[in-house]
């Protein structure tokens, strides 16, 4: 190996290579940060002490995702995991680029060390010492770079774990969303099927009711159609004649019905008289809607009814259910639409003995009431003139006319522009015929608008009272409300 003399080194220093320590200044022992820019150029980044490391960013994002997982919905959770998966892919790409930059750093350090080694052989003295110090610093930088690569590999492993975790969580969230969507669709289909079944049942019921009513009122409908045709031809006199004729027919039908019921009742009484000649009481009155029934003593030995305990019941036509009529504890009872087709029974407790009386047959409907109610159903709001006889159990002295409005959604009682009560159909509302009250019971009804607010209203006729009850129950049924009297929904049992 040739030894270079000092004179030759001084000459080379002055003419060819300047001193390394004069121009190269290492600000720190840490190799600067680089990244790959456009056109594969290495761009140096300025150190920012506030910038977090990739490991800290990944840890913070993971903590936030786990914290928000509990309060996010399934759909939002799936979206969040998708975003997290994209962020993990981005972090993985950045780690790959940083690995490429690390390789570039190793190449630069190797080239720099080779250059310094070449320079070391051509200098001597102080310059040679500076070159050796620079080589030591380059080797230190290489060691730091190797350590940094180890940390980078660890971070890369953690990023891969996070990416796998987010991918699995995204698949789980997507599966949950699919399951929830399938469950919701099944529930929707079940609800649609239930609604369709209910609609079909209602249509069948309406079809059957129309068919039965059509058979009973066929002749009357023909006369009504003829009257309408004549009215359309502008013949008011003939229309009036037809109306008078219809009224006469109705009166005849009512009289014949009463006569038939009277004969039927006399026949039943004669049969009972043959079986028991010691009957103390009997039920007097027409057993039809629009009339009233009264208990009459038929023996001189019968105790006074004012000292007896009385309770009315309704029994189904088959005789299998017996329902107590709450509040019907008087000697007079006016049947309401709910009693049509049912047998009425009354128990009289006198001197410790119970006497049971029943009607000869089920309560008959009123003639023409069904078609009248069907005509009122087509209106949005029907108004009846009434008089308040009781309010909250206290007799009402005023006999002024009030308007009782029955609508599709609510019932309103008012006087002129002043509203006395207005309530929508609800489970707390009650409406039925008055159960007792003398000869006027057939024209009165009981209405409880809500708890603590109740009225007894008298109508102009029995027909309007029964039509108001049927109309209100029809509209309430359309609102899924069973409108009845007190305790009308609770049968006592079988007989």
């Amino acid at each position: 190996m040739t030894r270079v003399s000092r004179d030759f080194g001084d000459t080379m220093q002055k003419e060819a290579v300047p001193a390394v320590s004069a121009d190269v200044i290492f600000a720190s022992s840490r190799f600067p940060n680089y990244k790959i820019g456009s056109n594969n150029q290495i761009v140096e980044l300025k150190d920012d002490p506030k910038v977090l490391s990739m490991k800290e960013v990944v840890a913070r994002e993971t903590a936030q995702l786990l914290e928000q997982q509990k309060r996010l919905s399934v759909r939002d959770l799936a979206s969040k995991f998708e975003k997290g998966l994209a962020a993990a892919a981005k972090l993985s790409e950045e780690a790959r680029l940083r690995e490429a930059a690390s390789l570039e750093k190793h190449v630069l350090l190797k080239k720099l060390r080779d250059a310094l080694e070449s320079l070391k052989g051509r200098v001597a003295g102080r310059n040679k010492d500076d070159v050796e110090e620079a080589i030591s610093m380059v080797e230190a930088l290489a060691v730091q770079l190797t350590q940094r690569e180890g940390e980078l590999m660890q971070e890369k492993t953690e990023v891969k774990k996070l990416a796998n975790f987010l991918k699995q969580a995204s698949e789980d969230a997507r599966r949950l969303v699919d399951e929830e969507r399938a469950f919701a669709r099944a529930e929707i289909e079940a609800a649609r099927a239930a609604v369709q079944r209910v609609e079909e049942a209602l249509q069948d019921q309406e079809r059957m009711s129309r068919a039965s009513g059509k058979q009973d009122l066929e002749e009357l409908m023909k006369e009504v159609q003829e009257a309408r045709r004549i009215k359309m031809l502008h013949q008011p006199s003939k229309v009036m004649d037809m109306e008078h004729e219809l009224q006469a027919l109705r009166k005849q039908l009512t009289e014949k019905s009463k006569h038939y019921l009277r004969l039927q009742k006399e026949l039943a009484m004669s049969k009972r008289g043959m079986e028991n000649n010691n009957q103390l009481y009997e039920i007097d009155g027409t057993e039809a809607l629009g009339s009233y029934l009264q208990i009459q003593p038929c023996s001189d030995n019968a105790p006074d009814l004012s000292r007896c305990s009385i309770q009315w019941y309704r029994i189904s036509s088959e005789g299998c259910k017996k329902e107590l009529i709450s509040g019907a504890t008087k000697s007079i009872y006016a049947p309401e639409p709910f009693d049509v087709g049912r047998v009425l029974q009354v128990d009289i407790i006198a001197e410790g003995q119970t006497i049971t009386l029943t009607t000869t047959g089920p309560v008959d409907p009123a003639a023409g009431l069904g078609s009248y109610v069907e005509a009122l159903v087509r209106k949005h709001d029907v108004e009846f003139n009434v008089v308040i006889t009781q309010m909250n159990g206290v007799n009402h002295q005023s006999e002024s006319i009030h308007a009782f409005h029955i609508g599709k959604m609510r019932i309103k009682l008012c006087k002129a522009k002043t509203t006395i009560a207005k309530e929508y159909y609800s489970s707390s509302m009650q409406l039925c015929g008055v159960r007792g009250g003398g000869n006027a019971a057939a024209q009165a009804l009981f209405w409880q608008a809500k708890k603590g607010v109740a009225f007894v209203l008298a109508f102009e006729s029995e027909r309007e009272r029964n039509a108001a009850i049927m109309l209100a129950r029809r509209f309430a049924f359309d609102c899924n409300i069973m409108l009845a009297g007190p305790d009308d929904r609770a049968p006592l049992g079988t007989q």
Side-chain angles (χ1 to χ4, degrees), residues 326 404 411 426-433 435 445-451 453-455 473 481-489:
S326 179
F404 189 59
I411 297 179
S426 63
S427 58
S428 62
M429 182 181 291
Q430 297 177 358
L431 188 139
C432 62
R435 296 163 180 181
L445 65 78
F446 168 78
W447 177 46
Q448 177 181 293
K450 58 183 180 180
K451 292 183 179 180
V453 180
F455 303 90
R473 289 175 178 172
I481 299 296
M482 182 65 183
L483 192 59
D487 302 328
D488 279 349
R489 305 179 182 88

PDB file of all heavy atoms in Angstrom, residues 326 404 411 426-433 435 445-451 453-455 473 481-489:
ATOM      1  N   SER A 326    -126.084  -3.388  33.016  1.00  0.00           N
ATOM      2  CA  SER A 326    -125.707  -2.541  34.150  1.00  0.00           C
ATOM      3  C   SER A 326    -126.614  -1.318  34.220  1.00  0.00           C
ATOM      4  O   SER A 326    -126.829  -0.626  33.229  1.00  0.00           O
ATOM      5  CB  SER A 326    -124.248  -2.109  34.007  1.00  0.00           C
ATOM      6  OG  SER A 326    -123.874  -1.276  35.066  1.00  0.00           O
ATOM      7  N   PHE A 404    -126.785  17.598  18.913  1.00  0.00           N
ATOM      8  CA  PHE A 404    -125.937  16.438  19.196  1.00  0.00           C
ATOM      9  C   PHE A 404    -125.356  15.967  17.870  1.00  0.00           C
ATOM     10  O   PHE A 404    -126.050  15.373  17.037  1.00  0.00           O
ATOM     11  CB  PHE A 404    -126.779  15.339  19.854  1.00  0.00           C
ATOM     12  CG  PHE A 404    -125.976  14.184  20.379  1.00  0.00           C
ATOM     13  CD1 PHE A 404    -124.991  14.366  21.329  1.00  0.00           C
ATOM     14  CD2 PHE A 404    -126.214  12.891  19.923  1.00  0.00           C
ATOM     15  CE1 PHE A 404    -124.256  13.304  21.819  1.00  0.00           C
ATOM     16  CE2 PHE A 404    -125.484  11.822  20.403  1.00  0.00           C
ATOM     17  CZ  PHE A 404    -124.507  12.029  21.359  1.00  0.00           C
ATOM     18  N   ILE A 411    -117.747  12.872  18.679  1.00  0.00           N
ATOM     19  CA  ILE A 411    -119.119  13.271  19.033  1.00  0.00           C
ATOM     20  C   ILE A 411    -119.047  14.621  19.726  1.00  0.00           C
ATOM     21  O   ILE A 411    -118.175  14.845  20.577  1.00  0.00           O
ATOM     22  CB  ILE A 411    -119.785  12.219  19.941  1.00  0.00           C
ATOM     23  CG1 ILE A 411    -119.908  10.879  19.205  1.00  0.00           C
ATOM     24  CG2 ILE A 411    -121.156  12.686  20.394  1.00  0.00           C
ATOM     25  CD1 ILE A 411    -120.533   9.786  20.038  1.00  0.00           C
ATOM     26  N   SER A 426    -113.019   6.872  21.966  1.00  0.00           N
ATOM     27  CA  SER A 426    -111.958   6.281  22.773  1.00  0.00           C
ATOM     28  C   SER A 426    -112.548   5.144  23.600  1.00  0.00           C
ATOM     29  O   SER A 426    -113.772   4.960  23.663  1.00  0.00           O
ATOM     30  CB  SER A 426    -111.306   7.329  23.686  1.00  0.00           C
ATOM     31  OG  SER A 426    -112.250   7.827  24.615  1.00  0.00           O
ATOM     32  N   SER A 427    -111.679   4.385  24.245  1.00  0.00           N
ATOM     33  CA  SER A 427    -112.130   3.262  25.063  1.00  0.00           C
ATOM     34  C   SER A 427    -112.860   3.716  26.322  1.00  0.00           C
ATOM     35  O   SER A 427    -113.620   2.943  26.904  1.00  0.00           O
ATOM     36  CB  SER A 427    -110.928   2.399  25.451  1.00  0.00           C
ATOM     37  OG  SER A 427    -109.972   3.175  26.151  1.00  0.00           O
ATOM     38  N   SER A 428    -112.660   4.960  26.757  1.00  0.00           N
ATOM     39  CA  SER A 428    -113.356   5.466  27.951  1.00  0.00           C
ATOM     40  C   SER A 428    -114.747   5.999  27.626  1.00  0.00           C
ATOM     41  O   SER A 428    -115.516   6.292  28.540  1.00  0.00           O
ATOM     42  CB  SER A 428    -112.523   6.566  28.605  1.00  0.00           C
ATOM     43  OG  SER A 428    -112.350   7.661  27.722  1.00  0.00           O
ATOM     44  N   MET A 429    -115.095   6.144  26.342  1.00  0.00           N
ATOM     45  CA  MET A 429    -116.412   6.664  25.965  1.00  0.00           C
ATOM     46  C   MET A 429    -117.445   5.548  26.048  1.00  0.00           C
ATOM     47  O   MET A 429    -117.185   4.416  25.668  1.00  0.00           O
ATOM     48  CB  MET A 429    -116.367   7.271  24.564  1.00  0.00           C
ATOM     49  CG  MET A 429    -117.688   7.872  24.120  1.00  0.00           C
ATOM     50  SD  MET A 429    -117.636   8.568  22.434  1.00  0.00           S
ATOM     51  CE  MET A 429    -116.555   9.982  22.717  1.00  0.00           C
ATOM     52  N   GLN A 430    -118.670   5.886  26.538  1.00  0.00           N
ATOM     53  CA  GLN A 430    -119.781   4.938  26.636  1.00  0.00           C
ATOM     54  C   GLN A 430    -121.027   5.579  26.041  1.00  0.00           C
ATOM     55  O   GLN A 430    -121.247   6.792  26.181  1.00  0.00           O
ATOM     56  CB  GLN A 430    -120.037   4.531  28.089  1.00  0.00           C
ATOM     57  CG  GLN A 430    -118.883   3.794  28.743  1.00  0.00           C
ATOM     58  CD  GLN A 430    -119.150   3.466  30.194  1.00  0.00           C
ATOM     59  OE1 GLN A 430    -120.196   3.823  30.743  1.00  0.00           O
ATOM     60  NE2 GLN A 430    -118.213   2.775  30.828  1.00  0.00           N
ATOM     61  N   LEU A 431    -121.847   4.767  25.379  1.00  0.00           N
ATOM     62  CA  LEU A 431    -123.088   5.264  24.791  1.00  0.00           C
ATOM     63  C   LEU A 431    -124.062   4.106  24.702  1.00  0.00           C
ATOM     64  O   LEU A 431    -123.742   3.051  24.135  1.00  0.00           O
ATOM     65  CB  LEU A 431    -122.830   5.865  23.410  1.00  0.00           C
ATOM     66  CG  LEU A 431    -124.021   6.593  22.771  1.00  0.00           C
ATOM     67  CD1 LEU A 431    -123.558   7.861  22.080  1.00  0.00           C
ATOM     68  CD2 LEU A 431    -124.717   5.704  21.755  1.00  0.00           C
ATOM     69  N   CYS A 432    -125.287   4.281  25.266  1.00  0.00           N
ATOM     70  CA  CYS A 432    -126.301   3.246  25.259  1.00  0.00           C
ATOM     71  C   CYS A 432    -127.645   3.890  25.556  1.00  0.00           C
ATOM     72  O   CYS A 432    -127.731   5.092  25.854  1.00  0.00           O
ATOM     73  CB  CYS A 432    -125.989   2.147  26.287  1.00  0.00           C
ATOM     74  SG  CYS A 432    -125.963   2.736  27.995  1.00  0.00           S
ATOM     75  N   GLY A 433    -128.695   3.104  25.467  1.00  0.00           N
ATOM     76  CA  GLY A 433    -130.010   3.606  25.835  1.00  0.00           C
ATOM     77  C   GLY A 433    -130.132   3.768  27.337  1.00  0.00           C
ATOM     78  O   GLY A 433    -129.459   3.101  28.116  1.00  0.00           O
ATOM     79  N   ARG A 435    -131.413   3.170  30.859  1.00  0.00           N
ATOM     80  CA  ARG A 435    -131.891   1.944  31.483  1.00  0.00           C
ATOM     81  C   ARG A 435    -132.769   2.294  32.678  1.00  0.00           C
ATOM     82  O   ARG A 435    -132.333   2.309  33.824  1.00  0.00           O
ATOM     83  CB  ARG A 435    -130.703   1.068  31.881  1.00  0.00           C
ATOM     84  CG  ARG A 435    -129.928   0.635  30.642  1.00  0.00           C
ATOM     85  CD  ARG A 435    -128.550   0.137  30.925  1.00  0.00           C
ATOM     86  NE  ARG A 435    -127.904  -0.248  29.656  1.00  0.00           N
ATOM     87  CZ  ARG A 435    -126.694  -0.736  29.551  1.00  0.00           C
ATOM     88  NH1 ARG A 435    -125.963  -0.902  30.638  1.00  0.00           N
ATOM     89  NH2 ARG A 435    -126.196  -1.054  28.385  1.00  0.00           N
ATOM     90  N   LEU A 445    -131.021   8.513  25.726  1.00  0.00           N
ATOM     91  CA  LEU A 445    -129.791   7.715  25.749  1.00  0.00           C
ATOM     92  C   LEU A 445    -128.828   8.282  26.782  1.00  0.00           C
ATOM     93  O   LEU A 445    -128.911   9.455  27.166  1.00  0.00           O
ATOM     94  CB  LEU A 445    -129.129   7.636  24.373  1.00  0.00           C
ATOM     95  CG  LEU A 445    -128.567   8.892  23.694  1.00  0.00           C
ATOM     96  CD1 LEU A 445    -127.221   9.319  24.260  1.00  0.00           C
ATOM     97  CD2 LEU A 445    -128.396   8.628  22.199  1.00  0.00           C
ATOM     98  N   PHE A 446    -127.881   7.414  27.185  1.00  0.00           N
ATOM     99  CA  PHE A 446    -126.832   7.791  28.133  1.00  0.00           C
ATOM    100  C   PHE A 446    -125.516   7.915  27.367  1.00  0.00           C
ATOM    101  O   PHE A 446    -125.140   7.007  26.621  1.00  0.00           O
ATOM    102  CB  PHE A 446    -126.703   6.731  29.225  1.00  0.00           C
ATOM    103  CG  PHE A 446    -125.483   6.878  30.090  1.00  0.00           C
ATOM    104  CD1 PHE A 446    -125.421   7.815  31.098  1.00  0.00           C
ATOM    105  CD2 PHE A 446    -124.369   6.069  29.878  1.00  0.00           C
ATOM    106  CE1 PHE A 446    -124.282   7.943  31.883  1.00  0.00           C
ATOM    107  CE2 PHE A 446    -123.233   6.190  30.651  1.00  0.00           C
ATOM    108  CZ  PHE A 446    -123.196   7.130  31.659  1.00  0.00           C
ATOM    109  N   TRP A 447    -124.823   9.051  27.549  1.00  0.00           N
ATOM    110  CA  TRP A 447    -123.541   9.279  26.860  1.00  0.00           C
ATOM    111  C   TRP A 447    -122.509   9.734  27.877  1.00  0.00           C
ATOM    112  O   TRP A 447    -122.660  10.773  28.514  1.00  0.00           O
ATOM    113  CB  TRP A 447    -123.689  10.356  25.772  1.00  0.00           C
ATOM    114  CG  TRP A 447    -122.386  10.674  25.078  1.00  0.00           C
ATOM    115  CD1 TRP A 447    -121.477   9.789  24.615  1.00  0.00           C
ATOM    116  CD2 TRP A 447    -121.844  11.974  24.801  1.00  0.00           C
ATOM    117  NE1 TRP A 447    -120.413  10.439  24.054  1.00  0.00           N
ATOM    118  CE2 TRP A 447    -120.605  11.778  24.148  1.00  0.00           C
ATOM    119  CE3 TRP A 447    -122.276  13.277  25.022  1.00  0.00           C
ATOM    120  CZ2 TRP A 447    -119.812  12.847  23.730  1.00  0.00           C
ATOM    121  CZ3 TRP A 447    -121.491  14.337  24.605  1.00  0.00           C
ATOM    122  CH2 TRP A 447    -120.269  14.123  23.958  1.00  0.00           C
ATOM    123  N   GLN A 448    -121.461   8.915  28.029  1.00  0.00           N
ATOM    124  CA  GLN A 448    -120.304   9.307  28.840  1.00  0.00           C
ATOM    125  C   GLN A 448    -119.187   9.722  27.893  1.00  0.00           C
ATOM    126  O   GLN A 448    -118.568   8.893  27.234  1.00  0.00           O
ATOM    127  CB  GLN A 448    -119.843   8.146  29.726  1.00  0.00           C
ATOM    128  CG  GLN A 448    -118.583   8.477  30.540  1.00  0.00           C
ATOM    129  CD  GLN A 448    -118.126   7.320  31.401  1.00  0.00           C
ATOM    130  OE1 GLN A 448    -118.801   6.933  32.344  1.00  0.00           O
ATOM    131  NE2 GLN A 448    -116.975   6.760  31.081  1.00  0.00           N
ATOM    132  N   ALA A 449    -118.956  11.033  27.786  1.00  0.00           N
ATOM    133  CA  ALA A 449    -117.928  11.538  26.878  1.00  0.00           C
ATOM    134  C   ALA A 449    -116.542  11.088  27.319  1.00  0.00           C
ATOM    135  O   ALA A 449    -115.715  10.660  26.507  1.00  0.00           O
ATOM    136  CB  ALA A 449    -117.999  13.064  26.796  1.00  0.00           C
ATOM    137  N   LYS A 450    -116.267  11.194  28.602  1.00  0.00           N
ATOM    138  CA  LYS A 450    -115.033  10.716  29.206  1.00  0.00           C
ATOM    139  C   LYS A 450    -115.303  10.509  30.679  1.00  0.00           C
ATOM    140  O   LYS A 450    -116.408  10.802  31.167  1.00  0.00           O
ATOM    141  CB  LYS A 450    -113.882  11.718  28.987  1.00  0.00           C
ATOM    142  CG  LYS A 450    -114.162  13.109  29.535  1.00  0.00           C
ATOM    143  CD  LYS A 450    -113.018  14.060  29.220  1.00  0.00           C
ATOM    144  CE  LYS A 450    -113.318  15.454  29.767  1.00  0.00           C
ATOM    145  NZ  LYS A 450    -112.211  16.392  29.474  1.00  0.00           N
ATOM    146  N   LYS A 451    -114.324  10.007  31.392  1.00  0.00           N
ATOM    147  CA  LYS A 451    -114.532   9.739  32.811  1.00  0.00           C
ATOM    148  C   LYS A 451    -114.818  11.044  33.559  1.00  0.00           C
ATOM    149  O   LYS A 451    -114.060  12.002  33.487  1.00  0.00           O
ATOM    150  CB  LYS A 451    -113.298   9.056  33.404  1.00  0.00           C
ATOM    151  CG  LYS A 451    -113.089   7.648  32.868  1.00  0.00           C
ATOM    152  CD  LYS A 451    -111.910   6.967  33.534  1.00  0.00           C
ATOM    153  CE  LYS A 451    -111.737   5.550  33.003  1.00  0.00           C
ATOM    154  NZ  LYS A 451    -110.585   4.863  33.640  1.00  0.00           N
ATOM    155  N   VAL A 453    -117.554  12.930  32.976  1.00  0.00           N
ATOM    156  CA  VAL A 453    -118.438  13.789  32.175  1.00  0.00           C
ATOM    157  C   VAL A 453    -119.467  12.889  31.505  1.00  0.00           C
ATOM    158  O   VAL A 453    -119.143  12.128  30.590  1.00  0.00           O
ATOM    159  CB  VAL A 453    -117.655  14.588  31.110  1.00  0.00           C
ATOM    160  CG1 VAL A 453    -118.603  15.466  30.311  1.00  0.00           C
ATOM    161  CG2 VAL A 453    -116.572  15.435  31.766  1.00  0.00           C
ATOM    162  N   ALA A 454    -120.745  12.945  31.980  1.00  0.00           N
ATOM    163  CA  ALA A 454    -121.796  12.076  31.459  1.00  0.00           C
ATOM    164  C   ALA A 454    -123.084  12.878  31.308  1.00  0.00           C
ATOM    165  O   ALA A 454    -123.346  13.828  32.059  1.00  0.00           O
ATOM    166  CB  ALA A 454    -122.011  10.878  32.380  1.00  0.00           C
ATOM    167  N   PHE A 455    -123.906  12.485  30.320  1.00  0.00           N
ATOM    168  CA  PHE A 455    -125.161  13.173  30.021  1.00  0.00           C
ATOM    169  C   PHE A 455    -126.248  12.135  29.770  1.00  0.00           C
ATOM    170  O   PHE A 455    -125.979  11.015  29.321  1.00  0.00           O
ATOM    171  CB  PHE A 455    -125.040  14.059  28.773  1.00  0.00           C
ATOM    172  CG  PHE A 455    -123.942  15.093  28.842  1.00  0.00           C
ATOM    173  CD1 PHE A 455    -122.668  14.786  28.382  1.00  0.00           C
ATOM    174  CD2 PHE A 455    -124.182  16.349  29.362  1.00  0.00           C
ATOM    175  CE1 PHE A 455    -121.661  15.723  28.434  1.00  0.00           C
ATOM    176  CE2 PHE A 455    -123.172  17.296  29.412  1.00  0.00           C
ATOM    177  CZ  PHE A 455    -121.909  16.981  28.954  1.00  0.00           C
ATOM    178  N   ARG A 473    -122.096   3.874  17.041  1.00  0.00           N
ATOM    179  CA  ARG A 473    -121.353   2.615  17.162  1.00  0.00           C
ATOM    180  C   ARG A 473    -120.723   2.214  15.836  1.00  0.00           C
ATOM    181  O   ARG A 473    -119.656   1.610  15.812  1.00  0.00           O
ATOM    182  CB  ARG A 473    -122.292   1.520  17.665  1.00  0.00           C
ATOM    183  CG  ARG A 473    -122.680   1.704  19.133  1.00  0.00           C
ATOM    184  CD  ARG A 473    -123.700   0.682  19.597  1.00  0.00           C
ATOM    185  NE  ARG A 473    -123.987   0.869  21.015  1.00  0.00           N
ATOM    186  CZ  ARG A 473    -124.949   0.219  21.673  1.00  0.00           C
ATOM    187  NH1 ARG A 473    -125.714  -0.660  21.030  1.00  0.00           N
ATOM    188  NH2 ARG A 473    -125.149   0.434  22.950  1.00  0.00           N
ATOM    189  N   ILE A 481    -112.940   1.067  17.810  1.00  0.00           N
ATOM    190  CA  ILE A 481    -113.443   1.285  19.169  1.00  0.00           C
ATOM    191  C   ILE A 481    -114.779   0.572  19.303  1.00  0.00           C
ATOM    192  O   ILE A 481    -115.664   0.724  18.450  1.00  0.00           O
ATOM    193  CB  ILE A 481    -113.598   2.788  19.478  1.00  0.00           C
ATOM    194  CG1 ILE A 481    -112.248   3.504  19.367  1.00  0.00           C
ATOM    195  CG2 ILE A 481    -114.183   2.985  20.877  1.00  0.00           C
ATOM    196  CD1 ILE A 481    -111.214   3.055  20.359  1.00  0.00           C
ATOM    197  N   MET A 482    -114.952  -0.217  20.367  1.00  0.00           N
ATOM    198  CA  MET A 482    -116.219  -0.885  20.663  1.00  0.00           C
ATOM    199  C   MET A 482    -117.015   0.022  21.586  1.00  0.00           C
ATOM    200  O   MET A 482    -116.729   0.121  22.778  1.00  0.00           O
ATOM    201  CB  MET A 482    -115.959  -2.242  21.317  1.00  0.00           C
ATOM    202  CG  MET A 482    -117.223  -3.028  21.603  1.00  0.00           C
ATOM    203  SD  MET A 482    -118.082  -3.480  20.093  1.00  0.00           S
ATOM    204  CE  MET A 482    -119.537  -4.287  20.764  1.00  0.00           C
ATOM    205  N   LEU A 483    -118.015   0.708  21.041  1.00  0.00           N
ATOM    206  CA  LEU A 483    -118.804   1.678  21.801  1.00  0.00           C
ATOM    207  C   LEU A 483    -120.031   0.970  22.358  1.00  0.00           C
ATOM    208  O   LEU A 483    -120.879   0.478  21.599  1.00  0.00           O
ATOM    209  CB  LEU A 483    -119.206   2.847  20.892  1.00  0.00           C
ATOM    210  CG  LEU A 483    -119.800   4.082  21.575  1.00  0.00           C
ATOM    211  CD1 LEU A 483    -118.819   4.667  22.573  1.00  0.00           C
ATOM    212  CD2 LEU A 483    -120.182   5.124  20.541  1.00  0.00           C
ATOM    213  N   ALA A 484    -120.149   0.900  23.667  1.00  0.00           N
ATOM    214  CA  ALA A 484    -121.260   0.196  24.311  1.00  0.00           C
ATOM    215  C   ALA A 484    -121.549   0.880  25.644  1.00  0.00           C
ATOM    216  O   ALA A 484    -120.975   1.929  25.983  1.00  0.00           O
ATOM    217  CB  ALA A 484    -120.923  -1.276  24.513  1.00  0.00           C
ATOM    218  N   GLY A 485    -122.474   0.283  26.411  1.00  0.00           N
ATOM    219  CA  GLY A 485    -122.821   0.817  27.712  1.00  0.00           C
ATOM    220  C   GLY A 485    -121.915   0.281  28.801  1.00  0.00           C
ATOM    221  O   GLY A 485    -120.994  -0.499  28.541  1.00  0.00           O
ATOM    222  N   PRO A 486    -122.175   0.654  30.048  1.00  0.00           N
ATOM    223  CA  PRO A 486    -121.350   0.165  31.154  1.00  0.00           C
ATOM    224  C   PRO A 486    -121.430  -1.356  31.286  1.00  0.00           C
ATOM    225  O   PRO A 486    -122.522  -1.929  31.319  1.00  0.00           O
ATOM    226  CB  PRO A 486    -121.951   0.873  32.380  1.00  0.00           C
ATOM    227  CG  PRO A 486    -122.679   2.050  31.832  1.00  0.00           C
ATOM    228  CD  PRO A 486    -123.177   1.642  30.487  1.00  0.00           C
ATOM    229  N   ASP A 487    -120.293  -2.013  31.308  1.00  0.00           N
ATOM    230  CA  ASP A 487    -120.176  -3.461  31.540  1.00  0.00           C
ATOM    231  C   ASP A 487    -120.863  -4.300  30.468  1.00  0.00           C
ATOM    232  O   ASP A 487    -121.200  -5.470  30.703  1.00  0.00           O
ATOM    233  CB  ASP A 487    -120.752  -3.849  32.930  1.00  0.00           C
ATOM    234  CG  ASP A 487    -120.051  -3.111  34.048  1.00  0.00           C
ATOM    235  OD1 ASP A 487    -118.844  -2.835  33.900  1.00  0.00           O
ATOM    236  OD2 ASP A 487    -120.708  -2.787  35.049  1.00  0.00           O
ATOM    237  N   ASP A 488    -121.079  -3.748  29.277  1.00  0.00           N
ATOM    238  CA  ASP A 488    -121.740  -4.521  28.220  1.00  0.00           C
ATOM    239  C   ASP A 488    -120.811  -5.541  27.586  1.00  0.00           C
ATOM    240  O   ASP A 488    -121.269  -6.397  26.833  1.00  0.00           O
ATOM    241  CB  ASP A 488    -122.272  -3.584  27.129  1.00  0.00           C
ATOM    242  CG  ASP A 488    -123.605  -2.961  27.517  1.00  0.00           C
ATOM    243  OD1 ASP A 488    -124.178  -3.434  28.520  1.00  0.00           O
ATOM    244  OD2 ASP A 488    -124.069  -2.030  26.855  1.00  0.00           O
ATOM    245  N   ARG A 489    -119.528  -5.461  27.827  1.00  0.00           N
ATOM    246  CA  ARG A 489    -118.579  -6.377  27.192  1.00  0.00           C
ATOM    247  C   ARG A 489    -118.276  -7.586  28.045  1.00  0.00           C
ATOM    248  O   ARG A 489    -117.468  -8.420  27.689  1.00  0.00           O
ATOM    249  CB  ARG A 489    -117.264  -5.644  26.888  1.00  0.00           C
ATOM    250  CG  ARG A 489    -117.448  -4.391  26.052  1.00  0.00           C
ATOM    251  CD  ARG A 489    -116.106  -3.719  25.822  1.00  0.00           C
ATOM    252  NE  ARG A 489    -116.238  -2.490  25.071  1.00  0.00           N
ATOM    253  CZ  ARG A 489    -116.468  -1.302  25.618  1.00  0.00           C
ATOM    254  NH1 ARG A 489    -116.598  -1.207  26.908  1.00  0.00           N
ATOM    255  NH2 ARG A 489    -116.574  -0.222  24.862  1.00  0.00           N
TER     256      ARG A 489
END
